[in-house]
Amino acid sequence: GAVVSQHPSRVICKSGTSVKIECRSLDFQATTMFWYRQFPKKSLMLMATSNEGSKATYEQGVEKDKFLINHASLTLSTLTVTSAHPEDSSFYICSAGGTRTAENYGYTFGSGTRLTVV
Amino acid sequence: AQTVTQSQPEMSVQEAETVTLSCTYDTSESNYYLFWYKQPPSRQMILVIRQEAYKQQNATENRFSVNFQKAAKSFSLKISDSQLGDTAMYFCAFMKFQGGSEKLVFGKGTKLTVNP
């Protein structure tokens, strides 16, 4: 089945620094990738949608200059949290979708990244 | 805009028994997909079951089955012979066709605990 690898699983960074999270589709080409943020005991909040080779589409209220998304290839998307602050601490999850076949509906999720900003 | 409502924040069930999780949604679309995802304590999101709106037959996957009522916009998940490993957050999700960038709209989730 489709596998999405997300790294790192945990990261602790100092306030003011930047952190990059990678999401790779291992056995399929991900034309679209989604980035979510999840607060404790809450549902997933979509942050942005990225399509390979084009700019990401951000959801309302998400700062595009703080959360930089790059989808340079069909197997890799990155989320960079710039100038991180403690309020950016959260669980970030990516999901990937390939071509529009029935098997690809129901996107495959990465294992998530717990970001702690100190 | 589509909305997904899960009215049961928490549920519990005894091992080997059956439990049903509720989900309702609101949409004006006629062609869409519905999903149930499981998020165990590891926080890995796992697809449990998928239903295409144009199919009248309810989807089943081993111990998991759905009751899809399109007119009522209801999509409940039944877990039979509950196992301890079923303990997790369960999210109902909706997806419409949106020109190649289909978004998932999630409900708030139901925390299911299976007791020994």
Side-chain angles (χ1 to χ4, degrees):
Chain A
V3 176
V4 173
S5 175
Q6 184 173 346
H7 291 282
S9 57
R10 291 174 180 267
V11 59
I12 301 172
C13 71
K14 291 185 177 180
S15 185
T17 62
S18 295
V19 174
K20 180 183 285 188
I21 301 170
E22 291 189 349
C23 183
R24 294 181 183 272
S25 57
L26 298 186
D27 50 1
F28 68 102
Q29 292 183 328
T31 53
T32 304
M33 287 207 181
F34 300 88
W35 288 94
Y36 297 87
R37 183 173 181 174
Q38 186 179 29
F39 292 101
K41 299 183 180 181
K42 298 293 184 183
S43 188
L44 280 71
M45 180 188 78
L46 180 65
M47 299 174 66
T49 302
S50 70
N51 291 296
E52 185 266 338
S54 61
K55 290 184 178 181
T57 301
Y58 290 81
E59 295 299 301
Q60 192 173 11
V62 177
E63 299 176 62
K64 59 182 66 177
D65 293 332
K66 166 168 277 295
F67 300 101
L68 300 180
I69 291 172
N70 184 281
H71 193 166
S73 77
L74 286 170
T75 59
L76 174 64
S77 177
T78 60
L79 166 66
T80 302
V81 183
T82 63
S83 187
H85 288 96
E87 56 266 30
D88 299 325
S89 298
S90 192
F91 192 70
Y92 294 89
I93 310 174
C94 66
S95 71
T99 55
R100 293 178 64 179
T101 65
E103 289 72 26
N104 281 325
Y105 282 131
Y107 295 105
T108 304
F109 286 79
S111 54
T113 298
R114 176 172 297 286
L115 170 63
T116 303
V117 184
V118 299
Chain B
Q2 288 74 31
T3 58
V4 177
T5 302
Q6 293 178 249
S7 58
Q8 306 150 315
E10 294 192 36
M11 293 191 71
S12 62
V13 64
Q14 292 298 123
E15 194 175 7
E17 294 188 347
T18 296
V19 64
T20 299
L21 308 183
S22 301
C23 173
T24 58
Y25 59 95
D26 189 24
T27 185
S28 58
E29 301 288 329
S30 58
N31 194 16
Y32 51 87
Y33 284 74
L34 294 163
F35 307 89
W36 278 98
Y37 282 91
K38 167 184 177 181
Q39 188 179 41
S42 68
R43 303 192 77 172
Q44 172 72 57
M45 293 288 285
I46 301 166
L47 176 64
V48 175
I49 200 164
R50 171 181 61 218
Q51 175 80 43
E52 293 88 344
Y54 62 86
K55 291 187 177 179
Q56 292 185 338
Q57 186 174 7
N58 290 323
T60 61
E61 287 288 344
N62 301 314
R63 297 184 295 106
F64 299 89
S65 62
V66 298
N67 183 3
F68 174 47
Q69 301 290 328
K70 190 172 183 179
K73 296 180 182 175
S74 172
F75 183 62
S76 61
L77 174 69
K78 185 171 81 172
I79 305 174
S80 304
D81 185 26
S82 297
Q83 300 176 359
L84 297 178
D86 295 334
T87 292
M89 283 290 291
Y90 287 82
F91 293 100
C92 179
F94 170 98
M95 184 182 77
K96 70 173 184 177
F97 295 118
Q98 193 171 312
S101 59
E102 299 86 355
K103 302 179 185 180
L104 283 170
V105 178
F106 287 95
K108 292 186 176 182
T110 296
K111 181 179 180 182
L112 176 66
T113 302
V114 180
N115 299 307

